[in-house]
Amino acid sequence: MTAELSSAEAMDAAFTGRPCLLVTADGRRRPMTADLWSGPASPADLELLVDPCDGPTLDVGCGPGRLAGALAARAIRVLGIDISAVAVRQTRARGADALRHDVFDDLPVPDRWQHVLLADGNVGLGGQPVRLLRRVAALLVPGGNVLVELSGSGALAVHENVHLQVDGRSTGTFSWATVGEDAIDEVAVSAGLVVDGVRNAGGRQVATLRHPLGAPALWHTG
């Protein structure tokens, strides 16, 4: 039996350059693209996720901080949060504030944000995109928005019982989801949001979501 490690430990390993695999319930293995996340912000990153941010921004699942770092370099107030301690250190090294934190827990800072980023498929964290969007919508100032990177597939897909594997050691199983352009309107409405539009660059898609009345949504853990 393989020894278990936490998801945070697996991501720590990935962000230090060790191979990390996402393993699905049917045994398929897909390498994590941590090397892409660890590089500088790409032209598509800038167009889709950095340029639209002109005020305080929360980067959820910030990873090594390529987006948070690009925003900090423009003197935009930004906070990155991630469960990986290595990712937090790397984000801070790029000049951005970062905390080791789970998005579903209360933030230790009481502020609300003009923009919330869910890049690199992070809308699928926990396998419950609606719950996640409700959570981040509650962190917006009136008139704020959520920038959601979509998957290549058109529909909503929830993947149960996936795990991460590093050096023959595995995490416990967890759920993960992908949200494509065909599904984002329904997912947004279920979360109390509306889609302002979907933009494309470099083969990637990002949807802009906002509260329909311009007011922040309510969040409760119950």
Side-chain angles (χ1 to χ4, degrees):
M1 180 181 294
T2 57
E4 286 202 351
L5 70 163
S6 71
S7 294
E9 289 171 328
M11 296 311 299
D12 284 346
F15 292 137
T16 54
R18 289 158 63 191
C20 179
L21 299 174
L22 177 71
V23 185
T24 61
D26 60 5
R28 288 178 295 169
R29 288 167 166 77
R30 188 180 78 181
M32 300 290 288
T33 56
D35 55 333
L36 298 178
W37 304 332
S38 298
S42 69
D45 286 329
L46 296 176
E47 181 176 344
L48 295 173
L49 295 159
V50 176
D51 291 347
C53 297
D54 57 5
T57 301
L58 179 68
D59 185 2
V60 175
C62 62
R66 76 184 192 283
L67 301 176
L71 288 164
R74 298 184 179 193
I76 291 175
R77 181 168 173 257
V78 59
L79 175 66
I81 60 172
D82 204 287
I83 63 169
S84 165
V86 170
V88 167
R89 288 198 298 271
Q90 292 173 339
T91 299
R92 290 173 177 169
R94 294 182 192 247
D97 290 334
L99 294 173
R100 187 180 180 191
H101 195 76
D102 187 313
V103 65
F104 292 110
D105 294 333
D106 289 337
L107 280 172
V109 289
D111 302 334
R112 293 183 183 268
W113 304 89
Q114 184 71 31
H115 312 282
V116 175
L117 302 183
L118 290 171
D120 304 320
N122 283 335
V123 69
L125 290 172
Q128 300 181 65
V130 171
R131 179 172 181 253
L132 177 58
L133 287 173
R134 285 175 179 160
R135 168 58 177 149
V136 300
L139 299 172
L140 294 173
V141 298
N145 59 40
V146 187
L147 301 177
V148 179
E149 185 163 359
L150 305 176
S151 70
S153 61
L156 167 66
V158 178
H159 309 270
E160 302 284 357
N161 300 323
V162 301
H163 65 272
L164 300 176
Q165 189 174 81
V166 179
D167 298 333
R169 300 175 63 206
S170 297
T171 67
T173 59
F174 57 90
S175 296
W176 166 68
T178 55
V179 181
E181 185 174 3
D182 294 344
I184 188 60
D185 284 285
E186 182 177 352
V187 170
V189 168
S190 297
L193 300 167
V194 294
V195 178
D196 265 351
V198 176
R199 293 171 298 115
N200 298 269
R204 295 161 63 190
Q205 296 177 309
V206 169
T208 301
L209 279 54
R210 61 173 175 81
H211 191 273
L213 301 179
L218 297 177
W219 164 257
H220 60 86
T221 57

